[in-house]
Amino acid sequence: MTRSRSAGAEAEAAGVEPPLLLSGVDRTYERGGETVHALQDVNLAVDAGEFVAVVGPSGSGKSTMLNTLGLLDTPTAGDVLLDGREVSDADDARRTRLRKEYIGFVFQDFYLIPTLTATENVLLPTVYDADAKARPRAEDLLGRVGLGDRLTHRPTELSGGQKQRVAIARSLINEPEVLLADEPTGNLDTDTGRQVLGEFERVCDGDVAVVAVTHDELVTEYADRTVELVDGHLEVR
Ligand SMILES: Nc1ncnc2c1ncn2[C@@H]1O[C@H](COP(=O)(O)OP(=O)(O)O)[C@@H](O)[C@H]1O
Ligand SMILES: [Mg+2]
């Protein structure tokens, strides 16, 4: 393992499994008779409450890595472990269930439903659950990200930073152990980006593990640890 300086290794030695672990992960794509190595022997452990930034230029494998961590993509080789449980070979139904239980996602483009209010957007991952506590939890989460006075606003009535904070609240509605963010500040100016990154810091205080992949160096100021992807290889900074 090339996990140097990883708190995950310490946690593992202490008998506590990290919420997220990639071990020897390869992902290749076949394209027009050519093999693209999107990820090569990637090892990463992320602890509860740890904010890890993954930086790298376009095409370095960031989205592939995040999708692998989020069980949206399957490695060609290697293992993905959630809470110490091997999940690389899980079938679709199990992956869907694990995603819902353990993982929240935040994307560059927010992916809010334009016809729904902020609260309704946050509630979306719970619509099939008939959980009476979901609505107060959604309102509480929106309050925590500073949008307590925007509960009934629709996305067009919100700024970019506010939309991303709604997306963060939505990602937390099922109380995940892990929050995965793909270029979360990609559509935001620097000041707004800082506000959003401050929210990730607070999410970590609540013991959620956060992984943000980005080419925005600003993220590294907020992360506990930064690793770099170079042509599919993960390097410690
Ligand atoms: N579905 C796919 N089919 C073929 N090649 C892909 C696919 N997805 C990604 N790639 C290739 O894998 C490499 C890494 O892509 P990606 O993970 O999207 O990088 P990043 O997010 O850092 O821009 C790139 O060379 C990209 O062209
Ligand atoms: Mg990408």
Side-chain angles (χ1 to χ4, degrees), residues 53-131:
V54 182
V55 298
S58 180
S60 59
K62 300 186 299 298
S63 292
T64 303
M65 184 172 151
L66 203 79
N67 292 341
T68 304
L69 288 168
L71 312 186
L72 295 167
D73 192 32
T74 311
T76 315
D79 297 320
V80 182
L81 284 83
L82 278 186
D83 269 342
R85 285 177 300 172
E86 165 62 52
V87 295
S88 326
D89 298 329
D91 62 19
D92 280 351
R94 180 150 182 260
R95 292 163 92 74
T96 303
R97 189 167 49 74
L98 287 166
R99 266 201 303 276
K100 189 174 173 194
E101 263 178 43
Y102 281 95
I103 305 170
F105 292 92
V106 171
F107 298 96
Q108 174 170 359
D109 295 323
F110 324 127
Y111 293 137
L112 301 180
I113 308 290
T115 52
L116 300 182
T117 66
T119 302
E120 289 163 352
N121 268 287
V122 174
L123 279 169
L124 213 51
T126 72
V127 284
Y128 298 112
D129 298 345
D131 175 0

